[in-house]
Amino acid sequence: MVPELGQFALILSFCLCALLGTLPLIGAGTGNQLWISLARPLTAGVFVFLSLCLLILAYSFVTDDFSVQFVAQHSNSLLPIQYKITAVWGGHEGSFLFWTWMLALWMLAVSLFSKAMPDDFVARVLGIMGLIGAGYTLFMIATSNPFDRVLPLSPVDGADLNSALQDIGFIIHPPSLYMGYVGFSVVFAFAIAALLSGRLDSAWARWSRPWANAAWAILTIGIALGSWWAYYELGWGGWWAWDPVENPPMINWLLGTALIHSLAVTEKRGVFKSWTVLLAIMAFAASLLGTFITRSGLLTSVHAFASDPTRGVYILGFLGLVIGGSLLLFALRAPLMKSEFGFASVSREVFLLANNIILVVASAAILLGTLYPMVYQAVSGGELISVGPPYFNTIFVPLMSLLVIFLVLGAISRWKKTSVTYLKQQLLIVAAASVVLGLILPLALTLEFNVGASIATALGLWIVLGIVQDIRLKIANKPSVLAGLRSLAVAYLGMQIAHFGFAVILLGAALTSIYSIEKSVLLSPGQSVDLGNYHFQFDGTEHLSGPNYEAERATFQVLRDGEFVRELHPEKRVYTASMSPSTEMAIDAGFTRDLFITLGEERESGAWSMSIYIKPLVRWVWLGSIIMALGAIVAVLDKRYRRLKVKTLAQAASEPEFRPGVSGGQTVSG
Amino acid sequence: MSRMKLFIPVFIFMVMAVMLWRGLYLDPRTLPSVLIDKPLPDFELPRVEDEALISKADLPDEPFLLNVWGSYCLPCLQENPILMAAKEAGVVPIVGVNYKDKLNLARLWMDDNGSPFDFSIMDADGRLGINLGVYGAPETFIVDGNGVIRYKHIGVIDYKTWDEEIMPALAAVKAEATL
Amino acid sequence: MRRMSALVRLLCLSLLLSLGAAATGMWPQVAVAAVDAFEFETDEQQRRFRQMSDDFRCPMCQNTSLTGSSGGVAEDLRREIYLMIMDGKTDEEIEQFMLERYGDFIFYRPRLTVETLLLWFGPLLFLVLGGWIILGIIRRAQPMTQEQVALNDEEQQRLKALLDNVKRD
C-alpha cells in the first residue's frame, strides 16, 4: 500500500511540474497576475511531493519491502539500517529520484530567495525549471519507476547493496556532484527566462551570478570528492582517470567556469550578453549529456548502470527538445541583445573573453575525445579505438597553461581599457619573479632540473604573485595593510581566493604527476626497502577477523633519515559473504607528501608482494579545490547581491553603470 | 548573414544529437580480432590429457574450432553441451586451450562435465592466450586447414550463435577448403 | 540581512545534504590495484614499465589501464611488458607487439593515422577558430574616445559620494 502512495506522489509531482511549466509561463507572457502568482505555491507543492516520494522509498527500504523491485535489487534484510537508508540512492531509479528532488530543492531555493526580482521573471524561471522537472518525473514514471512492484511472487530477501557503496568517500561524492550538476539548471532557467522576456539587461546577469557561483562551488567539491575517493579506494595512486563518465562533469565544470566569468562581464559591462546566454545553455546541456552517457550505457566506463537503450532514447529526446529548443530560441532572440558598451582591444573584457574561449575549447576537446571512439566505430564499421588519459593530458595541459597566463592578465587589468604600459609596469616584475623562482625552486628542492616542474612552478607562482601584486596595488594608498584589506570588496576577495585555489590545484596536480615515485617489491618479514628519503621496514603480518571479513594485516615501520615517522598497516581482506578479496591500502597523508602501501599476495616463501608509493603534494589537488569552492561561496556572500531592492526591470536597465576604469577595490571583481 | 551565424549552435547540436542517437545502437564491447586471416602463433605446450608436449604441427590439418576455456569459467560450462553435441555428431574437430588454469582442476572439470575436445593445450601462464589476442575465456576461433585464423567469437556460444554465426562461418571455411 | 542569512543557511544546508546524504548508482566496478613484484635494474626501466602500463588499456576490463587492473589478461600483459623491457626491447617494439595482438583498441593514446587526424588536431582547430573569433571581436572593439573614458557629470557625483563614504569608514 505504502509504495502505491509513493507512486501516487510521483504522478502528482509530475502533474504539478506540468502545471508549473505551463500556467506561470503563459501568465508571464500574457500578463495574467493570477497565473504568475501560481509559480511559488506550485513550486512548494512539487518539493513537498517529491520529498514524500523520497521518504516513502526510504520507508520501503527500512521496512524490507522486497515486493518493491528497486528495494529487492539494492537491499537485504541483514543490511545495517544506515545503509538501508542510503541505498535509496544506490541504483539508477532511486538516484534519479534523488536527482529530481535536488532540482525541486533548487526550485524551492529560487522561489524563497527571489523577492528582489519581479514576479513575472520569477514565474518564468520557475516555469522553465518546472518543465525540466516534468521531463524528469515523466522519465521516471515511464522508464525508471522506483516504486515498481514484483507481485505476486515477491522475493523473500533482497540481493543486497553493492559493497563499494558502503564507504564514506563514495557516500558523499555523488550527491554533491548531483547538487552542483542540477544547480546549473537554475542558471539555464534564468537565461531562458531572459530570452523569453526579451529583456536581457545586466540585472538578469546580476541575479544569476550568486546561483551560478553556488552551483559551481558545489560542483567543484563534488568533482574533488570523486577524485579523492578514486585515489584512496583504487590503490594505485591515480586521482583522475578521464573516464567517459568523469568527463561530462569536467566539461560542465569548465563551461561553468567560463559562465561565471562571462556573467561577471555581462553584469559589470553589459557586453557579451548572447555569449553568456549561450554558455548557460551549454553548461546545462553538458549536465544533461552527462546524464545521458551515464544512464544509457552509450560508452564503456568503469561506472556501471545497467544500460538500457529505451532510457537513452528518452533522455536524448528530452535533450533534443530542451537544448534544441533553447538554441533555436537563442538564434531567434539573440539579435535583440545589443551590447551597449565599447571596450578597447586591451581590456579586462578581452582577457576574460580569451579565457572563456580557452575554457570552451578545452570542453570541446574533451567532448571530442570522449565521443571519438563512438563516432570512429560508427564510421569505420566496427573498428574500435580507445581514447584515454594520455590523450586528454596531452590536450588539456597546454590549454590550461595558456588559461593561467590569461587569468592573471584578466584579473589585474581594468574594464574598458587598460594600457599596455600599465600591464608591463605591474606584471613584468611578477613574470620575471615567477620564471626565476620556477627555475630555481624545483632545482633547489630536488637537485634535478625538470622542464615540466619548472613550467608548472612558474605558472603557479605567476597566479600567486599576480594576486599579491594586484592586492598590493589596491591597498597602496590605504593607511595600513589591514585597513586596506578590509576595504576590499567581498566579491573581489572571493575571486582572489578562488584563483589562489586554482594555483594550488595546478601545483599539486603537476608536481605530483612529475615527482611521484613508486616501487613494487617482494619482502619477507624483517626485510626493508628504501624509497626516496624513506625507509620502510616490514615487520610481518597478523591475522585479523573483522565483522564481515577475514584479513591479513601487515605492519610497517616508516623511517625518514633514521627518524621514526609512523607505523602503517595495509590490509588484505576477503569478505566472507561474497568471498571477494580486497586490498586496504595504508596512507600516511601529509601536506607535502602522501606515503602509501598496497599489499599484494603472499608467496609460498612467506614473502609478500607490495607496492610502495610516495606522492608529493597530492593533497594540494583537493585542498585547492576546497579553497576554490570557498572563494566562490565568499563571492556569493557579497553585500552587493542583497542590496538589491525591489525595482522594475526598466529601472534596473536604465540605471547607469558606475564602473570607471580607475576604480579601487570596491567596484572591481571578476 | 550575421543572423545566420546564430543558428550555428543549434546546427552543431543537431549533428551531435544524431550521432548520439546512432551511438545508442552500437555496442562498444564488440571487439574485432586483429588476428583474422593471420596464421596461428607458434607454441610448444603440454596437453592437459597426458602432459605430452605438442606444437602447431600437431593441430588438425582440416578446419577446426579452437575453444579457449577454464575450469573457473562459468560461461564455458554453459556452452559445453553445445560443443559436446557437435563433437558427438562429428561436425568439426575441437581443440581446447585451457587458459590460465591448474592442471588438476582442468582434469576434474573434464571428468565432471565431459570433454568436447580432441585434446586441450595447457596455457597455464596465459602466453598463448596473449599471442591469440585473448581477452578472457570463453573465446572460440575457427582455424582453417592451413592453420590460419578465419573467425573469432568472443563470449559464450548459445544455440543461436552456433546456428547463425559459427556454423555458417565454418561452412564457408570448409567450402573454400574443398575448392 | 535576514534574507541573506537564510541564503547562507540554505547553502550550508545544501552542502551538508550533499556531504551527508548517501550514495548513488554510479559506482566503479572497483578494480583492485595491481601489485606486482618485478625487479628492475634501473629507475628508467621502472618508469617505462609504469608509463606503458598506464598507456595500454586492459582489454577485458570496462575502462581501466593495465595499471588499474589486477586480474587475468592484464596481469599477463604487464608480465609480458616487464619481460620485454628487461629483454631490452624498445617502446616501439612493445607497442608493435600489443598492436599485432589486440589492435588499436589497446592504445589509450591513439596512434596518429588518417582516421585520428581530427582527434589529434581537432583541439588545435578549435583553438585557432577561437583565436579568430577573438581577433574579430577585438577588431570590432570600439577604441575608447577621451569622452567615453572620462566620467560624465552624474558619474562624477557618484564617485564623489562613494569616496566620501570610504573616508567616513
Side-chain angles (χ1 to χ4, degrees):
Chain A
M1 180 57 204
V2 173
E4 275 64 45
L5 283 180
Q7 175 93 344
F8 190 60
L10 187 60
I11 294 170
L12 259 180
S13 308
F14 165 71
C15 296
L16 289 176
C17 280
L19 282 179
L20 179 58
T22 44
L23 297 185
L25 279 178
I26 297 170
T30 58
N32 184 331
Q33 288 303 320
L34 179 69
W35 285 13
I36 288 176
S37 66
L38 282 175
R40 285 194 171 95
L42 279 173
T43 300
V46 169
F47 180 76
V48 166
F49 282 105
L50 278 173
S51 304
L52 204 62
C53 290
L54 216 50
L55 285 175
I56 288 171
L57 191 58
Y59 176 82
S60 303
F61 268 100
V62 172
T63 55
D64 290 331
D65 189 348
F66 297 121
S67 69
V68 177
Q69 191 175 13
F70 184 70
V71 177
Q73 281 166 354
H74 297 94
S75 183
N76 182 288
S77 53
L78 297 176
L79 193 68
I81 180 91
Q82 67 269 30
Y83 295 132
K84 280 183 183 166
I85 295 170
T86 60
V88 168
W89 302 285
H92 162 72
E93 290 87 352
S95 71
F96 202 85
L97 177 62
F98 189 45
W99 167 283
T100 311
W101 178 77
M102 280 183 163
L103 177 76
L105 188 68
W106 279 106
M107 283 161 68
L108 188 72
V110 170
S111 82
L112 291 179
F113 306 116
S114 57
K115 302 272 177 352
M117 295 178 226
D119 281 343
D120 64 328
F121 191 80
V122 176
R124 284 202 165 99
V125 171
L126 291 175
I128 288 151
M129 295 184 77
L131 279 180
I132 299 168
Y136 288 170
T137 41
L138 186 63
F139 173 69
M140 270 189 283
I141 295 167
T143 74
S144 322
N145 195 329
F147 299 107
D148 272 350
R149 297 266 214 166
V150 200
L151 289 172
L153 290 170
S154 311
V156 184
D157 208 336
D160 209 356
L161 184 68
N162 184 325
S163 60
L165 290 185
Q166 304 174 16
D167 171 273
I168 178 71
F170 208 72
I171 281 172
I172 60 183
H173 148 61
S176 60
L177 191 67
Y178 284 11
M179 191 75 192
Y181 245 176
V182 177
F184 280 98
S185 57
V186 179
V187 191
F188 168 78
F190 272 86
I192 299 301
L195 278 181
L196 281 176
S197 63
R199 294 180 298 195
L200 286 138
D201 42 48
S202 49
W204 149 72
R206 188 175 306 182
W207 294 330
S208 302
R209 281 188 74 187
W211 298 100
N213 279 337
W216 182 86
I218 298 171
L219 182 66
T220 305
I221 294 290
I223 294 175
L225 281 172
S227 151
W228 172 63
W229 179 83
Y231 170 75
Y232 81 76
E233 185 68 28
L234 300 183
W236 47 275
W239 43 269
W240 190 258
W242 296 109
D243 186 77
V245 164
E246 292 174 8
N247 290 346
M250 183 51 120
I251 293 172
N252 205 11
W253 187 86
L254 291 167
L255 290 175
T257 310
L259 177 62
I260 56 180
H261 288 87
S262 180
L263 271 171
V265 184
T266 304
E267 187 216 341
K268 301 280 187 194
R269 303 285 306 128
V271 291
F272 305 158
K273 282 175 186 162
S274 39
W275 175 246
T276 306
V277 170
L278 194 58
L279 274 177
I281 298 174
M282 289 200 297
F284 179 64
S287 77
L288 280 185
L289 184 73
T291 314
F292 174 71
I293 289 178
T294 318
R295 292 168 195 270
S296 70
L298 179 75
L299 301 164
T300 315
S301 148
V302 294
H303 301 69
F305 266 136
S307 66
D308 180 351
T310 332
R311 288 176 192 156
V313 170
Y314 185 99
I315 303 177
L316 191 61
F318 184 67
L319 191 83
L321 214 63
V322 174
I323 301 304
S326 307
L327 289 173
L328 204 62
L329 183 70
F330 167 80
L332 296 173
R333 285 298 177 96
L336 296 177
M337 298 181 268
K338 283 277 172 282
S339 291
E340 295 142 36
F341 292 85
F343 50 86
S345 54
V346 181
S347 61
R348 180 178 267 193
E349 286 90 327
V350 169
F351 288 129
L352 288 188
L353 180 68
N355 267 358
N356 260 262
I357 296 278
I358 296 167
L359 286 164
V360 172
V361 167
S363 313
I366 295 173
L367 189 66
L368 180 74
T370 308
L371 297 180
Y372 209 86
M374 185 195 84
V375 178
Y376 188 91
Q377 190 189 5
V379 173
S380 70
E383 293 290 309
L384 289 185
I385 58 165
S386 302
V387 180
Y391 169 82
F392 290 107
N393 289 334
T394 310
I395 301 298
F396 197 63
V397 170
L399 280 172
M400 285 302 109
S401 308
L402 200 60
L403 182 75
V404 166
I405 293 171
F406 281 106
L407 182 155
V408 175
L409 288 172
I412 211 161
S413 58
R414 294 154 173 180
W415 296 117
K416 285 189 186 174
K417 183 177 174 34
T418 305
S419 78
V420 178
T421 331
Y422 173 80
L423 283 182
K424 273 190 192 157
Q425 217 174 0
Q426 306 308 337
L427 288 178
L428 267 183
I429 174 83
V430 174
S434 318
V435 170
V436 171
L437 286 175
L439 286 172
I440 292 174
L441 278 182
L443 195 63
L445 290 172
T446 65
L447 304 177
E448 230 172 274
F449 178 71
N450 181 305
V451 190
S454 285
I455 293 176
T457 313
L459 286 173
L461 285 171
W462 166 244
I463 300 180
V464 175
L465 297 177
I467 294 170
V468 172
Q469 175 76 334
D470 196 38
I471 293 181
R472 210 177 58 80
L473 281 171
K474 293 260 185 307
I475 63 176
N477 53 4
K478 296 292 186 302
S480 71
V481 174
L482 198 66
L485 284 177
R486 282 167 66 181
S487 74
L488 296 176
V490 176
Y492 170 80
L493 283 177
M495 167 190 98
Q496 296 295 29
I497 292 171
H499 284 173
F500 178 72
F502 188 65
V504 173
I505 297 178
L506 182 154
L507 286 170
L511 297 179
T512 199
S513 305
I514 294 167
Y515 288 123
S516 288
I517 45 176
E518 66 181 78
K519 204 168 202 168
S520 295
V521 282
L522 205 59
L523 291 184
S524 300
Q527 287 185 317
S528 61
V529 62
D530 288 307
L531 184 63
N533 295 328
Y534 292 87
H535 181 79
F536 297 84
Q537 162 89 28
F538 178 44
D539 286 350
T541 60
E542 52 179 341
H543 189 79
L544 202 77
S545 290
N548 55 345
Y549 58 84
E550 299 291 316
E552 288 295 322
R553 183 169 181 264
T555 301
F556 284 84
Q557 311 286 335
V558 183
L559 291 88
R560 183 185 175 162
D561 303 328
E563 303 244 338
F564 176 76
V565 179
R566 67 172 285 179
E567 263 187 18
L568 284 177
H569 299 284
E571 286 178 28
K572 181 98 189 169
R573 289 182 186 169
V574 176
Y575 283 86
T576 32
S578 53
M579 290 306 289
S580 56
S582 140
T583 48
E584 295 293 307
M585 50 192 287
I587 305 183
D588 178 40
F591 184 69
T592 55
R593 88 299 164 264
D594 271 19
L595 306 176
F596 72 75
I597 306 175
T598 312
L599 214 50
E601 307 283 333
E602 185 174 14
R603 300 290 162 92
E604 275 133 27
S605 61
W608 282 80
S609 64
M610 58 193 70
S611 293
I612 298 172
Y613 301 75
I614 300 178
K615 301 194 76 71
L617 304 186
V618 66
R619 298 273 140 190
W620 289 28
V621 176
W622 308 302
L623 185 69
S625 307
I626 294 170
I627 298 175
M628 209 159 62
L630 199 71
I633 297 293
V634 167
V636 174
L637 300 182
D638 194 314
K639 282 194 201 124
R640 230 158 25 86
Y641 297 113
R642 42 177 155 136
R643 253 199 258 119
L644 294 169
K645 292 295 168 221
V646 182
K647 54 183 156 189
T648 66
L649 276 163
Q651 276 172 333
S654 63
E655 184 193 0
E657 285 279 306
F658 174 68
R659 307 284 172 223
V662 288
S663 67
Q666 297 94 326
T667 53
V668 181
S669 93
Chain B
M1 182 53 214
S2 105
R3 285 203 62 158
M4 290 314 288
K5 266 197 292 193
L6 295 169
F7 286 89
I8 294 174
V10 71
F11 177 73
I12 294 175
F13 172 77
M14 273 160 48
V15 172
M16 265 189 57
V18 169
M19 264 166 36
L20 290 173
W21 180 76
R22 174 88 178 78
L24 272 182
Y25 298 95
L26 293 172
D27 180 3
R29 299 300 301 166
T30 46
L31 301 164
S33 175
V34 283
L35 287 160
I36 304 288
D37 295 331
K38 302 261 168 62
L40 273 178
D42 291 320
F43 63 90
E44 192 166 345
L45 289 166
R47 257 197 312 230
V48 175
E49 286 79 2
D50 56 6
E51 288 175 67
L53 277 185
I54 51 167
S55 68
K56 218 170 129 176
D58 298 308
L59 293 171
D61 48 13
E62 56 176 315
F64 65 98
L65 294 189
L66 191 70
N67 179 262
V68 181
W69 68 283
S71 62
Y72 49 84
C73 148
L74 279 176
C76 299
L77 204 58
Q78 225 175 311
E79 69 183 18
N80 197 42
I82 299 178
L83 297 181
M84 289 294 282
K87 179 200 165 99
E88 272 154 33
V91 180
V92 61
I94 305 175
V95 175
V97 174
N98 182 238
Y99 178 62
K100 289 174 76 69
D101 206 352
K102 298 228 161 56
L103 184 63
N104 55 341
L105 295 177
R107 284 182 178 166
L108 207 63
W109 189 90
M110 293 202 294
D111 289 345
D112 285 352
N113 307 300
S115 165
F117 310 114
D118 289 12
F119 57 87
S120 260
I121 308 160
M122 210 180 114
D123 183 27
D125 64 3
R127 187 158 297 160
L128 175 60
I130 286 179
N131 289 336
L132 281 168
V134 163
Y135 299 94
E139 288 184 19
T140 307
F141 297 85
I142 296 177
V143 183
D144 70 13
N146 303 319
V148 175
I149 299 171
R150 303 302 299 274
Y151 182 85
K152 178 181 182 182
H153 177 79
I154 296 175
V156 65
I157 295 175
D158 53 22
Y159 285 102
K160 191 164 178 280
T161 44
W162 179 264
D163 288 341
E164 291 174 11
E165 289 174 35
I166 307 287
M167 286 309 284
L170 190 64
V173 172
K174 277 183 172 168
E176 205 177 286
T178 53
L179 278 179
Chain C
M1 198 61 212
R2 277 188 53 217
R3 193 174 63 242
M4 200 55 217
S5 58
L7 179 57
V8 175
R9 248 181 286 137
L10 180 87
L11 278 170
C12 297
L13 180 74
S14 29
L15 267 176
L16 266 180
L17 271 174
S18 353
L19 295 174
T24 177
M26 300 189 292
W27 55 84
Q29 296 161 341
V30 178
V32 179
V35 178
D36 309 303
F38 296 137
E39 299 270 338
F40 294 93
E41 286 156 11
T42 65
D43 287 349
E44 174 62 13
Q45 287 171 345
Q46 169 109 42
R47 194 198 58 74
R48 279 177 63 205
F49 174 76
R50 173 63 190 246
Q51 176 81 47
M52 273 190 271
S53 303
D54 281 347
D55 284 3
F56 290 123
R57 179 175 188 162
C58 162
M60 63 178 287
C61 312
Q62 283 286 349
N63 186 19
T64 39
S65 64
L66 294 181
T67 309
S69 171
S70 62
V73 71
E75 194 180 69
D76 292 350
L77 286 175
R78 280 198 309 275
R79 184 195 60 212
E80 293 300 314
I81 293 173
Y82 168 74
L83 291 174
M84 283 189 277
I85 287 178
M86 299 314 282
D87 204 26
K89 293 263 169 49
T90 64
D91 289 4
E92 288 73 32
E93 283 168 322
I94 298 175
E95 278 166 18
Q96 192 58 33
F97 175 90
M98 293 290 178
L99 180 66
E100 278 167 9
R101 284 157 183 80
Y102 289 96
D104 277 308
F105 184 73
I106 196 94
F107 296 121
Y108 258 147
R109 184 196 304 276
R111 294 181 305 149
L112 185 61
T113 60
V114 181
E115 290 92 3
T116 58
L117 269 183
L118 187 62
L119 177 69
W120 280 107
F121 291 99
L124 195 66
L125 196 75
F126 298 154
L127 196 64
V128 170
L129 205 69
W132 181 63
I133 292 173
I134 295 182
L135 283 181
I137 287 175
I138 290 179
R139 219 175 292 131
R140 270 189 300 161
Q142 296 137 9
M144 307 294 289
T145 60
Q146 201 52 42
E147 204 173 310
Q148 279 171 306
V149 176
L151 307 179
N152 61 27
D153 288 351
E154 199 187 345
E155 283 177 338
Q156 289 284 9
Q157 273 173 15
R158 292 188 60 196
L159 176 62
K160 191 165 173 298
L162 268 177
L163 285 174
D164 288 348
N165 260 335
V166 172
K167 271 181 207 146
R168 249 180 280 131
D169 288 347

